[in-house]
Amino acid sequence: MKVSIIVPVYNAEKYLDKCVESITKQTEEDIEILLIDDDSTDSSGRMCEEWANKDSRIRVFHIENIGVSNARNQGIKYSNSPYIMFVDSDDWIRKDMVECLLKNIEESKSQAVFCNYITVRDGEEIPCEGILEYKVYRSDEVAKIISNMFGGGRYYSSIWRGIYEREVIENSKIYFRDLKFAEDLVFNLEYLLNCNRVKIIKDELYYYRVNSTSALQSLKNKVDEIQKVPYEIYSLITKYNCLEKYSVEMLSELSLTVKRLFDINNKYSNFKVNAANFRKWNFKEIEKYSNNDRISKMYFQRKWIKLYVYLWIEKIKNHIHRK
């Protein structure tokens, strides 16, 4: 088998058939499909078994519901192929996605290949915006892809748009952190920090489904998880001795985190209730770079009222601009 495709499954009965069918009908047939049932409470577990009975390339694992990061880690553990891909159970892929990514990673001798995707929202298909040049990024050029991941997820922080080398994952001991938010960004960051050859292609191969729930609403119960992300990023870029190289990106992510918490607290609770959490963050090593970013500068100087007012003004300006 050339490629292992890992699909975490949790209460996905509404979309699972479309997802799995799109994988089983791939033009590249030398694949294995790992359905990781994360202790679903609907019929997803049974549906996984039914699919395994239809296709011998499918293996099903029923695990304790700890979260999507654990499900993906289990998928990596049980997979057998030299290349690994990830597909979310409410999405689907173009029939030649595996063939296209596999061909590109083998011919370019890259450690990863990322494609474009289509966002599906309420039946409307929206192509993603092309940000970086379509080519092979070598050695120091990989930093361009890494920089693009910060400050809002951008376009290369999602794991489902790529193909990965098992050897890189195993040799560098890369795994999904115990996060319920931005876990794929953190995984991709560490993976790319271990790459010296990455290819980006123009082909739109993945269909990413967005439900009608607002982004803010989906985040309101993840405040604690959102606060973990800058810590994880900071720990990685210090581990790989590249804090100086990615200091601007680090601050961009910190600023985005502050904005997210402000928006959530402003809409669903009193901002002051969670203001104390801001004070717990302690990025002493990166504080010297705070002059590059207004929000982080106010944060580091502990100017909480000034920061609060500034975020409110930004919110009003953005509202006026949209009109």
Side-chain angles (χ1 to χ4, degrees):
M1 294 167 290
K2 291 183 177 179
V3 183
S4 297
I5 303 173
I6 297 169
V7 185
V9 178
Y10 179 72
N11 291 353
E13 61 181 6
K14 186 176 179 181
Y15 307 113
L16 187 60
D17 281 341
K18 185 178 182 67
C19 172
V20 180
E21 183 177 28
S22 74
I23 302 173
T24 60
K25 290 186 175 180
Q26 286 294 295
T27 53
E28 173 58 61
E29 297 181 348
D30 194 9
I31 62 176
E32 69 168 350
I33 305 164
L34 293 88
L35 303 181
I36 315 297
D37 173 34
D38 199 16
D39 200 17
S40 297
T41 57
D42 63 2
S43 61
S44 295
R46 174 181 55 78
M47 293 170 69
C48 288
E49 295 292 346
E50 290 174 353
W51 271 107
N53 291 331
K54 295 177 187 176
D55 194 318
S56 60
R57 298 172 299 173
I58 296 177
R59 290 191 289 153
V60 179
F61 300 89
H62 301 282
I63 64 173
E64 182 182 358
N65 178 221
I66 299 178
V68 67
S69 291
N70 176 62
R72 289 174 179 149
N73 286 334
Q74 293 300 311
I76 294 172
K77 175 182 175 181
Y78 293 119
S79 61
N80 297 305
S81 308
Y83 297 105
I84 292 176
M85 290 174 55
F86 301 92
V87 177
D88 287 350
S89 57
D90 50 353
D91 301 334
W92 69 96
I93 61 179
R94 207 172 81 180
K95 65 180 181 180
D96 60 341
M97 180 175 186
V98 179
E99 179 183 4
C100 187
L101 291 182
L102 181 61
K103 178 182 178 181
N104 274 279
I105 198 169
E106 289 182 335
E107 290 183 351
S108 67
K109 295 180 171 56
S110 297
Q111 284 109 14
V113 176
F114 296 105
C115 66
N116 278 341
Y117 64 95
I118 293 175
T119 298
V120 182
R121 180 183 286 109
D122 298 326
E124 181 185 5
E125 296 186 358
I126 309 165
C128 74
E129 181 183 358
I131 296 297
L132 296 178
E133 187 179 353
Y134 302 115
K135 67 171 190 175
V136 175
Y137 290 76
R138 298 174 174 85
S139 302
D140 289 344
E141 284 187 314
V142 176
K144 295 180 182 179
I145 305 175
I146 293 175
S147 295
N148 185 265
M149 292 165 52
F150 293 93
R154 297 292 279 178
Y155 298 99
Y156 297 99
S157 59
S158 301
I159 58 163
W160 36 255
R161 66 184 304 178
I163 187 169
Y164 302 82
E165 270 192 350
R166 164 186 294 282
E167 186 177 6
V168 175
I169 294 174
E170 291 183 343
N171 290 349
S172 303
K173 296 180 172 57
I174 302 170
Y175 61 94
F176 286 91
R177 300 300 202 277
D178 183 21
L179 298 170
K180 295 180 175 63
F181 178 75
E183 73 288 338
D184 46 355
L185 183 156
V186 176
F187 178 92
N188 262 357
L189 171 60
E190 183 164 20
Y191 188 92
L192 290 176
L193 287 171
N194 285 279
C195 292
N196 54 35
R197 200 175 180 92
V198 177
K199 187 174 185 180
I200 295 178
I201 62 175
K202 187 175 182 179
D203 306 69
E204 296 168 340
L205 304 175
Y206 193 95
Y207 289 83
Y208 169 59
R209 189 193 303 271
V210 179
N211 61 42
S212 57
T213 303
S214 72
L216 194 61
Q217 185 176 348
S218 67
L219 295 178
K220 70 175 182 178
N221 296 321
K222 297 180 180 179
V223 170
D224 291 341
E225 293 296 319
I226 292 170
Q227 293 180 46
K228 292 180 183 178
V229 177
Y231 281 115
E232 293 292 342
I233 293 173
Y234 178 74
S235 68
L236 280 178
I237 60 179
T238 51
K239 172 184 175 181
Y240 288 92
N241 298 314
C242 54
L243 178 60
E244 187 84 29
K245 187 174 186 178
Y246 296 110
S247 61
V248 173
E249 289 81 3
M250 176 73 246
L251 287 171
S252 175
E253 197 64 32
L254 178 60
S255 294
L256 180 66
T257 300
V258 173
K259 289 177 182 177
R260 280 174 174 151
L261 293 175
F262 169 80
D263 287 340
I264 294 169
N265 295 333
N266 175 60
K267 185 167 183 177
Y268 296 106
S269 64
N270 189 324
F271 181 83
K272 295 179 182 179
V273 171
N274 287 312
N277 289 320
F278 290 179
R279 298 179 175 87
K280 295 177 183 177
W281 292 350
N282 184 24
F283 294 109
K284 287 296 182 184
E285 292 299 317
I286 203 169
E287 187 168 345
K288 60 186 176 182
Y289 304 113
S290 62
N291 289 333
N292 296 327
D293 180 274
R294 188 169 184 177
I295 291 178
S296 61
K297 185 176 182 180
M298 285 188 281
Y299 161 73
F300 284 125
Q301 292 177 351
R302 305 298 189 263
K303 296 182 178 179
W304 307 112
I305 296 177
K306 186 176 180 180
L307 175 59
Y308 179 81
V309 172
Y310 175 78
L311 290 171
W312 253 112
I313 293 173
E314 287 293 298
K315 189 178 183 69
I316 294 170
K317 285 167 59 178
N318 290 335
H319 180 72
I320 294 173
H321 179 72
R322 284 196 296 270
K323 286 186 172 182

